Amino acid sequence: MVESMGFLEKLGSAEKLYTFDDVYIVPGRAPMDPSKVDVSTRFSRRVRLLIPISSSPMDTVTEYDMAVTMSLMGGIGVIHRNMPKEQQAEIASRVKSAPPIPTSRIYVTPDEDCSRAYDDLRSLGLRDAPLISADGKVLGHVRAGSLRGCSGRPVAEFAEPSKAFDVRHVEDALNFLESGGSDTVAIVAPGNAYVGTVTFDSSLNRVKPSLDSEGRLLVAAAVSPFDLERARLLDRYADALVTDVAHFHNVEAMTAAKVMAKEVSADFVVGNIGTYEAAVDALTVVERVDGFRVGIAGGSICTTSSVGGAYAPALWAVAAVRDAVDQHGAGDVPIIADGGIRSSGDAVKALAAGASSVMLGYLLAGTDEASAPLIRIGDSAYKPYRGMASRGAMERRFAVDRYTRASKRVAEGVEGVAPYRGSVMSVLADLAEGIRAGLGYAGASNIRELWEKARFGMAIPKQVPGELFRASQ
């Protein structure tokens, strides 16, 4: 008979749960300039990204605007499920139909006063704009020069024929703009339906989007493993489905996910998990796992560690899960580090610990594209930000989704605000550059090489200036 471990022995053998503040990357010999480092990766088995970043499925973070921009910048957005399944599917469908270049809603309408249209174009520094009808059809083009000095006449009188470009041929639109004949062109879907306007600036500052095999933007969607109907609907549009469970290492959740994985064709990412044993059990129960979402209670607005006493910080959890998949013949299953990532440095540490990509919430929450309204508090601007286990988020979910299982009656998240950060495009560009620099410091030219070469070091607690001097007295 095997004796059980005593309680004091349990405390004495407590594991060290490493967080991002506990370790640093030890610099190594760099093989190349950081600008040449390859940060492309896989979000899931078949979904490839150009930058290792996804946006979290939170109702204050990822809806249409965020999902489109994430893909335009080379990452992927995971649309939250705190909405009716039809609305979530409609957003995913729109993302797949969006042009793979940045667009704006710059246009003039037929009945608009010509003097007002002229003033608007001048304020934007544009020589022209598409003319769009009330039902979203492209009618032509209007030049600012033709409107100069006019008053009281509709813009339609000044329309000129123009060429609109199909959403499937955006490269032709960019080349047309580069020729210098126009500042703007309209992008249309089949049937001449207006999608957006591309400006000359877009042709100069081209993005590198993450695309599917048909040249469309990538998008993922969150699902409950118990909501098979939602999963089937989203499977028509999403490149990946991501189970949205706080603690996936649960027999009922894994059993339901096993059924769901057989019913959908999109990549199937499961989580959240936080331990070696959870990864092994998930691989054993769920026959098709295309990715792991890893980390429990590490998010900035998550209170699980206080409410339930449980904690598996993303850095430690990623390392544990990476060991599990490598040792159980599933080394090709990508790992997404989720929770507590506050900087590009934290992202580099997560990648070095075995993650293929990172999932961000707070760092993206204050941007223009985040799905929350801009508010002002005093002289500063903010956007609301809340955990998906907060009371407000749970109440909304219960109201819109009859498949939501009220298995927990206590909130495990809080609500707050994130400082306004401008466009997520600049935030992502800075993060990607920081990640490239981090790989360079570690001596790696790509993420897989980072797994092999990265070394971690632990530092003594940081001290403020003057503290070292005083300690020596």
Side-chain angles (χ1 to χ4, degrees):
M1 181 178 178
V2 179
E3 292 186 10
S4 61
M5 185 183 295
F7 289 101
L8 280 175
E9 192 176 356
K10 285 182 181 181
L11 289 173
S13 61
E15 294 187 59
K16 170 69 174 177
L17 302 179
Y18 293 100
T19 71
F20 294 116
D21 291 334
D22 294 324
V23 297
Y24 297 88
I25 300 295
V26 177
R29 180 179 179 179
M32 60 180 65
D33 187 83
S35 63
K36 298 178 181 178
V37 169
D38 178 14
V39 294
S40 64
T41 188
R42 289 183 302 148
F43 176 76
S44 55
R45 285 187 197 267
R46 294 175 296 173
V47 176
R48 297 201 62 87
L49 306 179
L50 298 182
I51 62 172
I53 303 173
S54 62
S55 63
S56 181
M58 307 172 74
D59 62 6
T60 53
V61 177
T62 309
E63 290 185 2
Y64 175 78
D65 290 338
M66 181 64 75
V68 166
T69 311
M70 288 298 300
S71 185
L72 286 174
M73 293 299 290
I76 192 170
V78 185
I79 302 168
H80 73 84
R81 64 184 177 95
N82 240 18
M83 63 179 82
K85 60 182 181 295
E86 295 81 8
Q87 182 183 357
Q88 192 182 16
E90 188 265 340
I91 292 174
S93 174
R94 287 172 57 206
V95 174
K96 297 304 290 185
S97 301
I101 52 175
T103 60
S104 60
R105 305 294 289 184
I106 297 174
Y107 61 86
V108 293
T109 57
D111 297 331
E112 190 173 345
D113 184 88
C114 61
S115 62
R116 178 182 174 183
Y118 175 76
D119 291 341
D120 289 343
L121 291 176
R122 293 284 293 174
S123 68
L124 293 170
L126 297 174
R127 295 178 295 167
D128 48 67
L131 180 66
I132 309 298
S133 67
D135 61 350
K137 302 295 183 181
V138 179
L139 302 178
H141 217 62
V142 174
R143 298 187 180 277
S146 302
L147 305 176
R148 185 182 295 113
C150 77
S151 179
R153 298 166 62 188
V155 169
E157 294 184 13
F158 302 88
E160 301 176 10
S162 68
K163 185 177 182 180
F165 290 84
D166 190 281
V167 69
R168 295 164 294 186
H169 303 106
V170 294
E171 193 68 26
D172 294 338
L174 294 174
N175 292 335
F176 174 77
L177 288 170
E178 284 185 346
S179 69
S182 180
D183 286 350
T184 63
V185 294
I187 302 296
V188 296
N192 196 39
Y194 174 72
V195 173
T197 301
V198 180
T199 64
F200 179 71
D201 288 345
S202 297
S203 68
L204 298 178
N205 304 303
R206 300 198 182 189
V207 298
K208 294 182 179 180
S210 52
L211 305 173
D212 64 15
S213 59
E214 298 179 23
R216 301 174 300 177
L217 297 179
L218 294 176
V219 65
V223 296
S224 162
F226 304 101
D227 192 350
L228 190 54
E229 187 176 342
R230 181 184 291 261
R232 285 173 176 153
L233 180 59
L234 288 166
D235 193 40
R236 302 175 189 174
Y237 313 106
D239 298 283
L241 298 178
V242 181
T243 63
D244 197 25
V245 181
H247 183 38
F248 184 79
H249 194 199
N250 172 295
V251 172
E252 291 187 3
M254 290 188 292
T255 301
K258 176 180 180 179
V259 175
M260 182 175 286
K262 295 177 179 179
E263 295 285 331
V264 298
S265 59
D267 273 9
F268 194 61
V269 178
V270 304
N272 282 41
I273 64 170
T275 63
Y276 181 104
E277 295 78 12
V280 174
D281 284 351
L283 290 169
T284 302
V285 175
V286 186
E287 296 175 12
R288 179 167 69 92
V289 174
D290 297 313
F292 279 117
R293 183 179 173 191
V294 176
I296 293 176
S300 61
I301 37 68
C302 180
T303 59
T304 298
S305 60
S306 297
V307 173
Y311 187 35
L315 183 68
W316 178 86
V318 162
V321 173
R322 171 53 61 191
D323 285 346
V325 298
D326 285 347
Q327 294 168 17
H328 286 77
D332 62 334
V333 177
I335 293 171
I336 305 161
D338 178 23
I341 296 167
R342 298 167 296 176
S343 65
S344 57
D346 288 347
V348 173
K349 295 173 189 178
L351 295 170
S356 297
S357 65
V358 297
M359 180 173 282
L360 305 179
Y362 180 75
L363 286 179
L364 309 180
T367 61
D368 292 325
E369 294 79 1
S371 52
L374 187 67
I375 61 175
R376 287 197 171 275
I377 302 176
D379 295 329
S380 300
Y382 301 87
K383 280 202 166 187
Y385 178 58
R386 66 184 182 188
M388 292 305 288
S390 66
R391 191 164 301 281
M394 289 195 300
E395 288 174 351
R396 178 182 176 186
R397 186 154 62 252
F398 295 154
V400 303
D401 186 359
R402 66 189 177 93
Y403 287 97
T404 293
R405 292 165 56 112
S407 58
K408 294 182 182 179
R409 298 293 181 181
V410 61
E412 293 181 20
V414 295
E415 303 183 38
V417 294
Y420 175 64
R421 296 186 174 95
S423 173
V424 76
M425 297 183 80
S426 60
V427 173
L428 290 171
D430 288 346
L431 288 169
E433 286 305 306
I435 292 171
R436 288 189 182 93
L439 265 66
Y441 276 114
S445 59
N446 55 58
I447 291 173
R448 184 165 290 275
E449 200 169 279
L450 179 68
W451 296 348
E452 300 168 356
K453 292 187 174 182
R455 292 187 297 143
F456 288 102
M458 297 184 69
I460 60 172
K462 292 182 179 179
Q463 294 173 298
V464 297
E467 192 68 27
L468 288 174
F469 174 79
R470 284 193 294 271
S472 65
Q473 299 301 306

